[in-house]
Amino acid sequence: MQSSIHSPVVRVEHLSKVYGSAEAMIRALDDVSFEIGKGEFVAVMGPSGSGKSTCMNLVGCLDRPSAGSYRFADVEVGKLDGDGLALLRRQFIAFVFQSFNLLARTSAVENVELPLVYMGVKRSMRRDIAIGALQSVGLEHRLRNTPAEMSGGEQQRVAIARALVGNPLLLVADEPTGNLDTKRSNEIMDLLCALNEERKLTILMVTHEPDIARFAKRVMLFVDG
């Protein structure tokens, strides 16, 4: 799957997400439309309950919309079955979360190798690819360290390296600096900016912090879905 030079990586049209029914119905996302072009760095902001996390889950194919259309690299996501969605997530979308989500007893290089296992990459190639990804985030000296032996900023760098090994079309970052102090937060954001500039990596980032959102090239503000 490759997005053409003129088509956006993400095209959302009149997207809605409803939970529950009747009096218990919650409209988490209400008739939202936007596009994200290849190589863009877009931040999504909004207060708690505004719909920004719901939007991220839909764009990341972690959930299905109640109504509307979502095209990813010119593929109509709504027409994909469960296997198709899983394949799209595995091959073309990568995630970075606030909590890092690293395997605690596993070294940095083994954590980064994990997506390659699921992608069917040969064992003989996985290690070199993982080492290269860790080098790209400045952690070539931490290959054998476990998460407990690294700072929060280093753990997030490992998580970013893990996200990069499959050469995704889209990186979805959910509060990527939420567990970090200001200095480490700025370092992580500088790294994401560099990846966006140098690799033309398309990034969708959810944040509630204006100081973090300013690193993005465009900000979308969500209010009441």
Side-chain angles (χ1 to χ4, degrees):
M1 180 189 298
Q2 288 293 330
S3 178
S4 77
I5 193 169
H6 298 297
S7 64
V9 174
V10 170
R11 175 181 285 139
V12 166
E13 295 179 318
H14 306 294
L15 209 64
S16 296
K17 181 64 180 180
V18 176
Y19 297 99
S21 59
E23 293 181 1
M25 186 178 73
I26 298 174
R27 189 171 290 276
L29 209 62
D30 188 9
D31 194 25
V32 171
S33 300
F34 62 86
E35 294 183 354
I36 300 175
K38 181 172 174 56
E40 275 203 277
F41 186 168
V42 179
V44 174
M45 292 194 70
S48 179
S50 63
K52 60 184 188 296
S53 293
T54 299
C55 176
M56 184 207 73
N57 288 337
L58 294 175
V59 171
C61 297
L62 299 173
D63 199 359
R64 291 181 181 271
S66 303
S69 170
Y70 170 30
R71 296 185 70 85
F72 181 87
D74 274 346
V75 172
E76 180 57 61
V77 175
K79 295 181 179 179
L80 299 177
D81 60 14
D83 290 341
L85 282 175
L87 179 64
L88 193 154
R89 285 195 306 269
R90 186 166 64 245
Q91 300 284 356
F92 302 106
I93 302 175
F95 300 87
V96 174
F97 298 100
Q98 175 179 340
S99 56
F100 316 140
N101 291 350
L102 301 177
L103 298 178
R105 299 182 180 180
T106 305
S107 70
V109 70
E110 289 168 336
N111 265 287
V112 174
E113 277 188 74
L114 194 57
L116 300 173
V117 175
Y118 295 126
M119 294 172 69
V121 177
K122 292 181 180 179
R123 182 192 295 267
S124 58
M125 299 173 60
R126 292 199 302 257
R127 184 56 52 98
D128 286 344
I129 295 172
I131 291 173
L134 285 166
Q135 288 173 337
S136 73
V137 299
L139 285 184
E140 58 272 13
H141 61 298
R142 291 294 205 184
L143 301 181
R144 308 298 174 190
N145 293 99
T146 64
E149 297 169 326
M150 292 183 281
S151 68
E154 287 173 332
Q155 290 182 61
Q156 191 62 295
R157 285 174 181 267
V158 174
I160 292 170
R162 181 182 57 190
L164 295 176
V165 289
N167 291 316
L169 284 179
L170 174 67
L171 175 66
V172 179
D174 186 12
E175 301 282 4
T177 62
N179 282 337
L180 304 176
D181 61 28
T182 301
K183 183 175 185 296
R184 300 294 182 269
S185 294
N186 288 335
E187 290 173 355
I188 291 299
M189 293 312 303
D190 286 340
L191 173 59
L192 291 178
C193 287
L195 293 169
N196 171 250
E197 288 287 341
E198 296 166 10
R199 298 193 180 199
K200 305 305 178 187
L201 178 64
T202 307
I203 301 175
L204 174 64
M205 177 182 69
V206 174
T207 182
H208 67 278
E209 300 179 65
D211 285 350
I212 296 301
R214 67 180 173 83
F215 284 90
K217 295 176 180 176
R218 178 159 63 100
V219 177
M220 296 191 296
L221 181 63
F222 278 64
V223 179
D224 296 333

